[in-house]
Amino acid sequence: MKIHPFADAFPMLDPDELLDLAESIKTDGLYEEIVLDTDGVLLDGRNRLAACEIAGVEPRFTTYTGDNPRALIFSHNVVRLHISKGQQAMITAMACSVSGHSPRGLAKTHGLSRTRLSAANVVLTYAADLAEQVRVGAFPLDAAYEIALEHKAKTAAELEKLDRLSEHAPDLVKQVSESHLTLDDAIATLEERQEQERIRNQIAEADELRLADGHTTPPLTQLAKQGDITWHKAHQQAEQYVTHRRSAIHHTQQAIEQAAQHWTTIRPPITRPDTAFAREVHAGLSPEAQELTAHLTPLS
């Protein structure tokens, strides 16, 4: 017999309780009829029907002709005292997942906690095995919810990794999907590729600077590709060059700034080199300073 999904979500009696019910029905008969809808779908009375079969008693049925079978099922089941609030929430979430109804509407109609319903949906989505245990009362909803949140976070992290792989390494996604690589191994491979690419880009940038600065030695990229040096060695030399160049620029700027600060003092012997004053100043300079004034004279 087909059972309404809402009714099917409620746990059956345990075997001992079901045997007790069967014995009662065998002795005293079936007091409450089993409820079907107009299509013969069972709405209420699964336990009574099972107990009748055990007792060998012919069940009696009645037909529900109302327009809200869910309300009937809830009124006969959710309010049972032996069903916890967590079970109520999980049963509602499960029933809604099958029927497509909104749990929010049921929460409002039957006074169920939206917070519990939300927790039940998270458990149903991310820890389905625990959802069944919550439904039958074998595991508390709050504990299942905490575990489901961990599963949800793990799932989100895995999806983020897959998105990253899809964007940067579709070939690795294929290997993961074919179980040739684990997701973490694929991410490690991607990161290794990206690190190699970063290193080679840094070497290429250093080569461009060397060329712009007038160096005529072979580019480090060329040497590494030819196998004359390793990529690691090329990267070291590239970093050393960039660091040295940055330091040289800084010191040169400082020297020029210092010269500029004393320009008013330096300028007279530079602009009037034929005076006795200029000749005496020039005579007392080091060869390097004399060379500098010689370069500055035509610029003045």
Side-chain angles (χ1 to χ4, degrees):
M1 177 178 293
K2 187 175 181 180
I3 301 173
H4 192 285
F6 270 51
D8 197 35
F10 288 90
M12 293 285 289
L13 294 174
D14 64 41
D16 289 339
E17 290 176 321
L18 195 58
L19 287 175
D20 288 342
L21 179 58
E23 185 64 30
S24 174
I25 291 174
K26 186 175 182 178
T27 302
D28 303 318
L30 179 63
Y31 287 115
E32 188 175 355
E33 296 173 323
I34 297 164
V35 183
L36 310 178
D37 67 9
T38 54
D39 295 320
V41 176
L42 188 147
L43 301 180
D44 180 59
R46 278 191 309 153
N47 288 303
R48 297 195 298 280
L49 180 60
C52 284
E53 292 177 356
I54 294 172
V57 174
E58 187 69 24
R60 292 182 292 108
F61 300 94
T62 185
T63 301
Y64 174 73
T65 57
D67 59 0
N68 194 351
R70 287 180 291 116
L72 172 74
I73 295 169
F74 270 79
S75 65
H76 283 217
N77 292 280
V78 171
V79 296
R80 290 176 183 169
L81 294 178
H82 69 279
I83 296 180
S84 70
K85 296 294 184 181
Q87 283 180 274
Q88 291 180 21
M90 183 55 68
I91 289 166
T92 303
M94 285 180 162
C96 289
S97 70
V98 174
S99 67
H101 290 92
S102 168
R104 181 173 296 181
L106 289 175
K108 183 176 181 181
T109 303
H110 300 285
L112 299 175
S113 166
R114 289 188 180 182
T115 300
R116 282 198 180 94
L117 274 176
S118 176
N121 275 313
V122 171
V123 174
L124 190 58
T125 303
Y126 296 100
D129 55 331
L130 292 179
E132 177 61 20
Q133 293 186 53
V134 173
R135 183 184 76 87
V136 299
F139 204 82
L141 175 60
D142 290 343
Y145 177 60
E146 292 299 322
I147 295 173
L149 286 179
E150 294 177 3
H151 291 180
K152 182 179 180 181
K154 182 179 179 180
T155 299
E158 290 178 349
L159 287 174
E160 184 178 348
K161 290 178 181 178
L162 281 172
D163 288 342
R164 183 179 170 193
L165 286 175
S166 297
E167 181 180 357
H168 300 289
D171 61 310
L172 295 180
V173 175
K174 183 178 180 181
Q175 291 189 53
V176 171
S177 66
E178 294 175 350
S179 299
H180 298 312
L181 274 181
T182 67
L183 182 56
D184 287 341
D185 285 344
I187 288 294
T189 300
L190 172 61
E191 289 177 346
E192 183 178 350
R193 288 182 184 178
Q194 291 178 328
E195 177 63 11
Q196 290 176 352
E197 182 179 1
R198 183 188 68 82
I199 287 173
R200 296 190 183 200
N201 287 339
Q202 287 184 339
I203 295 171
E205 290 171 0
D207 282 338
E208 290 180 4
L209 288 175
R210 284 158 51 91
L211 180 63
D213 291 342
H215 287 266
T216 57
T217 54
L220 295 170
T221 299
Q222 178 183 332
L223 294 176
K225 286 182 176 179
Q226 293 173 174
D228 295 332
I229 60 174
T230 64
W231 284 102
H232 177 70
K233 185 66 175 178
H235 185 228
Q236 283 185 326
Q237 291 186 16
E239 286 188 323
Q240 289 170 0
Y241 178 78
V242 171
T243 300
H244 174 75
R245 183 177 186 274
R246 188 181 301 116
S247 176
I249 288 173
H250 176 69
H251 290 136
T252 302
Q253 288 172 334
Q254 285 186 319
I256 293 173
E257 290 291 345
Q258 290 175 358
Q261 292 175 6
H262 299 286
W263 181 243
T264 55
T265 303
I266 297 172
R267 187 171 184 176
I270 299 297
T271 56
R272 300 175 63 190
D274 295 331
T275 64
F277 176 79
R279 285 193 294 271
E280 288 187 31
V281 168
H282 190 269
L285 295 176
S286 66
E288 292 81 7
Q290 290 179 6
E291 183 180 0
L292 174 63
T293 60
H295 284 293
L296 292 176
T297 298
L299 298 178
S300 61

